[in-house]
Amino acid sequence: MAGAPSSLARLLLLLLLAAGCLLPLVADAARLTLSLAPAADALLRLKAGIKDDGGALGSWSPDTSPCADGGPSWKGVLCNKDGVHGLQLEGMGLSGTLDLRALTSLPGPGLRTLSFMNNEFAGPLPNVKELSGLRAVFLSENKFSGVIPADAFAGMGSLKKVVLSNNDFTGPIPASLADAPRLLELRLNDNKFQGKIPDLKQEELTEVNLANNELEGEIPASLKSMTSDMFAGNKKLCGPPLGAKCEAPPTPSPKAHPQASVKEGTTPSQAAADTVASTGASSADDPKQDEGQEPVEGSISFGVSAALLGTLLIAGVAFIALRRRRGYKTKNFGPTASSSRPSGPPRVEPHPPAAKAPAAAGGVAHGGGAARKAEQGRLTFVRDDRGRFFELQDLLKATAEVLGAANLGVCYRATLTTGQSVVVKRFKEMNRVGREDFEEHMRRLGRLSHPNLLPLVAYYYRKEEKLLIHDYVPNRSLANLLHGGGESGGMKKAAVHWAARLKIVKGVARALSYLYDELCMLTVPHGHLKSSNILLDAHHGPLLTDYALVPVMNQSHAAQLMVAFKSPERKQFGRSSKKSDVWCLGLLILEILTGRPPTYDPPKAAAPSGELSSSQQKPGPAAGNTDLVTVVGSTPEGEWLNTVVDRDLRGEEEEDKEEMVKLIRVGMACCESNVDNRWELKTAIERIEELKAKERPDEEQATVIDEDYSDVALN
């Protein structure tokens, strides 16, 4: 019994020590709970004003915490070690009122990012300056309207990105944007802003998109380095970089004296002074100027001759600059997309020295060598599983073969001196983002890995153009497989069996689902899904290309060229949605089953139902005038197999034909013009995965009708 007290004492000591160890943990947990409680309260007050018919914010529950285990537990909430630092509530169908004042009570440093893109919010711009610490504000693709107060962004010293595009804002651009010292990106395109553009002099400003508004006047000198498409759609804007010239200021009154202008603190323009001197208008009103002076007969002729000589000199310099510019375009990976196709494969040459460009063309007189070295740069490889197997100079020395001139750029097969081939896609319409954001997005694409995605290997950045480098795939695209083609007209389509077509559809759907999971922050993760952007491997497995390029494309060019921007909701409401890629998938399914190319524009007249002739099944005027959705929708379901389905599939077994009808239904559900009634991608994929086909050996998947099918080509 003597040992009992000592044992009890040791037990008590151990309990005290354990309590001492647990107390800090309990205290930390308590502090975290206390810090998150105000955050939850603030977010719930914000939610109270939001209309959430779809239940997207169902995880925002009073009995839970917005951040847990070092990450977010509420949908759309961004967390870090300090708590809530951002909201990303995009494409959720939200509407109602955004009471940002409720968020001022968030503990810690406060919100840094705020994004409500692609929702249904309406009314005036929320009072964002209540959150003075914001670095990024994304409110594009909503229904906000009205005049934005001039001081709407006053005091926001950390603000870097403001994206208000695709709304209905009116009135002048808020002057307080010019006072945001760290502004990097400003996108106000596709609104109804009026008046003149404020002078945005921020040194780090890399993108200003003001296209499709009602702005007027001369573009400020601080923005003249931007591309012209950033100002397109403003009929009354003038000056560089637009081609529209600004009207010359009115000439001074003949009775005005130059001294008066000096007293007012201004100086007459040189053009006005030259006008007065050449016409002699001032002399006529001031007799004292003519005393003792007689007009010299040859003075005016000498002035005209000098002006003519100067004009010829400028024209000569411009002509030389233009010749050099054209030489650059044709030597660097062949012609641009608008150039004619060369008769033979060109030899790739290095860029001509930029420093030799005339000063009139924008050349830099000093430090040209360093500028050229920095501009030329290096290839950047983005794959962790791939080594650096060639350099830029190897690419410049490679033999380039033009594979196709698609609407986004020109595609080449570059054969290196080692004999290895890569595909180089040259883009001209990627001036939307600066180098830092472009490189960040390329690294994001480099991390993607899926058996049905053609991986990005490397890229090359220049301000004027970008090169994206992929592995070379010798097979043709799905468009060539289904429709044939070729400039000589000798390339014919292949008879592709149902099993091969279903395999392609499943591969495309899986890759699309992967993009939606990995790039969930993008409204349109693919953006350009069509048959010519799907390559086929040796076993007829699909490889998607040109995916996730919307963030780095110029908005105006994306709207004109990319397939997702042809969707019904884009045409109806002026904005894309998460289901725009689903619409593209539906059209692709109908194309694969009917064997005819789709048209992405609505038909001018109702298309007749009935048999698709063989001429309609090939590319041509007849095929381009009938919308696939209209053709299938106007044909009774019982007649699909005899009138809509490709002739090459009509000999399949009855079980396979039943599966074809099911897939057509999936395609039509994905092509629903009402975006609310259109299937979700998840639903479409589940139905596609349920479909079956009789397995065939790889050599029987597609019967090639023309032996030239094995030639190298790529759309």
Side-chain angles (χ1 to χ4, degrees):
M1 295 295 294
S6 61
S7 299
L8 182 60
R10 282 197 299 270
L11 181 60
L12 290 174
L13 180 60
L14 290 174
L15 290 174
L16 289 173
L17 290 174
C21 295
L22 290 174
L23 280 175
L25 298 177
V26 174
D28 290 342
R31 281 195 297 270
L32 181 61
T33 303
L34 290 174
S35 65
L36 290 176
D41 181 65
L43 293 176
L44 290 174
R45 279 189 284 127
L46 173 71
K47 179 185 176 182
I50 296 177
K51 187 178 180 182
D52 180 20
D53 294 334
L57 304 182
S59 59
W60 290 33
S61 176
D63 56 350
T64 60
S65 173
C67 302
D69 299 326
S73 57
W74 289 8
K75 186 175 182 179
V77 177
L78 306 178
C79 302
N80 59 15
K81 62 178 182 177
D82 297 319
V84 178
H85 75 93
L87 292 178
Q88 190 174 1
L89 308 178
E90 301 175 357
M92 297 181 178
L94 305 177
S95 59
T97 304
L98 290 176
D99 181 15
L100 300 186
R101 183 171 298 180
L103 302 178
T104 58
S105 60
L106 282 172
L111 285 184
R112 292 291 180 260
T113 301
L114 195 66
S115 179
F116 293 96
M117 294 170 56
N118 192 21
N119 281 291
E120 301 293 328
F121 290 106
L125 178 77
N127 194 4
V128 293
K129 70 177 181 180
E130 291 279 353
L131 306 173
S132 59
L134 281 175
R135 296 177 183 175
V137 178
F138 300 95
L139 300 176
S140 60
E141 299 188 65
N142 277 280
K143 299 177 181 179
F144 291 113
S145 60
V147 178
I148 301 178
D151 63 346
F153 301 94
M156 303 184 72
S158 301
L159 194 61
K160 292 185 177 182
K161 297 186 178 183
V162 177
V163 180
L164 307 179
S165 52
N166 292 99
N167 282 288
D168 291 310
F169 289 117
T170 58
I173 295 174
S176 52
L177 286 171
D179 299 325
R182 304 179 65 184
L183 193 62
L184 297 176
E185 179 181 335
L186 177 63
R187 282 188 267 159
L188 306 179
N189 53 287
D190 297 283
N191 280 283
K192 298 176 183 178
F193 285 109
Q194 302 158 337
K196 295 186 176 181
I197 301 174
D199 195 4
L200 303 169
K201 295 183 178 180
Q202 292 90 338
E203 294 182 358
E204 298 180 356
L205 192 61
T206 57
E207 180 189 354
V208 177
N209 192 341
L210 305 176
N212 302 320
N213 280 287
E214 300 174 7
L215 300 169
E216 60 184 31
E218 185 174 4
I219 297 173
S222 57
L223 302 180
K224 291 182 178 179
S225 60
M226 302 288 171
T227 57
S228 59
D229 55 299
M230 296 291 103
F231 306 98
N234 293 277
K235 298 181 180 180
K236 296 183 180 181
L237 277 183
C238 63
L242 294 177
K245 295 183 179 180
C246 298
E247 296 182 2
T251 56
S253 171
K255 295 184 179 181
H257 295 281
Q259 291 81 356
S261 297
V262 174
K263 290 180 181 179
E264 296 296 328
T266 59
T267 305
S269 66
Q270 187 61 41
D274 292 343
T275 302
V276 173
S278 61
T279 58
S282 277
S283 300
D285 290 298
D286 193 352
K288 294 182 180 180
Q289 291 184 3
D290 291 334
E291 291 180 2
Q293 297 183 13
E294 294 184 6
V296 181
E297 183 176 353
S299 60
I300 296 179
S301 298
F302 175 78
V304 172
S305 300
L308 179 61
L309 182 61
T311 302
L312 291 175
L313 180 61
I314 293 173
V317 172
F319 177 75
I320 294 173
L322 181 61
R323 288 293 298 273
R324 295 187 181 220
R325 178 69 174 167
R326 286 178 176 172
Y328 161 72
K329 286 183 177 180
T330 56
K331 290 181 181 179
N332 185 25
F333 287 104
T336 60
S338 60
S339 305
S340 60
R341 191 167 178 170
S343 58
R347 185 76 177 176
V348 179
E349 299 293 343
H351 301 291
K356 292 183 180 180
V364 180
H366 302 287
R372 286 197 308 276
K373 185 175 181 181
E375 178 70 12
Q376 184 167 346
R378 304 174 65 215
L379 287 176
T380 302
F381 287 77
V382 296
R383 302 289 302 177
D384 294 335
D385 56 346
R386 301 284 291 272
R388 192 179 187 89
F389 57 98
F390 65 96
E391 298 292 344
L392 177 62
Q393 290 303 321
D394 300 322
L395 191 62
L396 295 177
K397 295 175 183 178
T399 300
E401 175 188 358
V402 179
L403 298 181
N407 51 15
L408 295 185
V410 187
C411 185
Y412 306 86
R413 174 189 178 183
T415 303
L416 306 173
T417 54
T418 60
Q420 186 172 3
S421 294
V422 293
V423 171
V424 181
K425 290 192 175 182
R426 178 187 185 190
F427 294 89
K428 286 286 189 178
E429 310 302 342
M430 282 191 175
N431 296 327
R432 181 184 178 196
V433 295
R435 180 188 291 269
E436 181 179 348
D437 289 336
F438 180 85
E439 292 180 341
E440 179 183 351
H441 189 65
M442 291 300 108
R443 287 193 295 269
R444 184 182 297 119
L445 298 189
R447 291 192 293 268
L448 299 178
S449 179
H450 190 275
N452 297 116
L453 289 180
L454 184 67
L456 175 67
V457 175
Y459 68 88
Y460 175 65
Y461 178 94
R462 289 191 63 176
K463 184 176 181 180
E464 303 87 6
E465 65 180 2
K466 283 82 184 170
L467 304 179
L468 302 187
I469 300 167
H470 301 265
D471 290 326
Y472 172 68
V473 179
N475 274 351
R476 285 180 174 271
S477 68
L478 175 60
N480 289 116
L481 185 72
L482 294 174
H483 315 303
E487 292 181 357
S488 63
M491 186 66 61
K492 297 181 181 179
K493 62 177 286 187
V496 189
H497 297 293
W498 161 245
R501 301 194 195 209
L502 180 60
K503 178 180 179 180
I504 292 170
V505 171
K506 287 186 175 182
V508 171
R510 292 165 185 168
L512 198 58
S513 175
Y514 174 80
L515 289 175
Y516 268 64
D517 289 340
E518 296 297 317
L519 304 175
C520 57
M521 76 293 295
L522 302 183
T523 302
V524 187
H526 192 293
H528 204 37
L529 182 63
K530 59 179 182 176
S531 59
S532 58
N533 284 337
I534 300 173
L535 304 183
L536 300 174
D537 61 21
H539 303 287
H540 292 91
L543 295 170
L544 274 59
T545 66
D546 283 0
Y547 50 85
L549 296 182
V550 173
V552 293
M553 290 293 297
N554 294 336
Q555 185 75 10
S556 57
H557 286 88
Q560 296 173 9
L561 304 175
M562 304 189 81
V563 177
F565 287 77
K566 309 293 184 182
S567 61
E569 61 268 24
R570 180 79 186 189
K571 294 175 180 178
Q572 293 171 9
F573 309 114
R575 59 181 180 273
S576 305
S577 72
K578 281 286 186 181
K579 294 184 180 180
S580 296
D581 277 331
V582 178
W583 178 79
C584 299
L585 175 63
L587 272 185
L588 181 68
I589 290 173
L590 297 181
E591 178 183 0
I592 290 173
L593 286 172
T594 63
R596 58 171 298 159
T599 174
Y600 301 108
D601 294 313
K604 296 180 180 179
S609 62
E611 180 78 22
L612 296 181
S613 65
S614 59
S615 63
Q616 288 177 313
Q617 293 180 359
K618 298 178 182 179
N625 290 332
T626 306
D627 176 48
L628 277 181
V629 179
T630 303
V631 170
V632 178
S634 60
T635 304
E637 184 174 316
E639 300 178 12
W640 280 351
L641 291 173
N642 295 325
T643 60
V644 172
V645 170
D646 191 348
R647 289 179 179 273
D648 296 329
L649 292 175
R650 297 178 191 176
E652 300 281 352
E653 297 183 6
E654 290 301 320
E655 293 181 2
D656 287 340
K657 290 181 179 180
E658 293 176 3
E659 299 294 286
M660 294 177 204
V661 172
K662 294 178 183 178
L663 185 55
I664 294 178
R665 292 179 191 144
V666 174
M668 292 298 290
C670 291
C671 289
E672 173 64 51
S673 60
N674 187 330
V675 69
D676 294 328
N677 296 335
R678 191 181 308 160
W679 277 7
E680 297 285 348
L681 179 62
K682 181 180 179 181
T683 304
I685 293 175
E686 288 175 353
R687 300 295 176 85
I688 291 172
E689 292 292 346
E690 293 173 356
L691 299 176
K692 300 176 182 179
K694 180 181 177 181
E695 293 295 332
R696 293 174 179 264
D698 287 337
E699 61 269 17
E700 295 182 9
Q701 293 291 320
T703 303
V704 179
I705 297 177
D706 193 279
E707 62 181 4
D708 292 336
Y709 177 75
S710 59
D711 291 346
V712 175
L714 179 67
N715 269 348

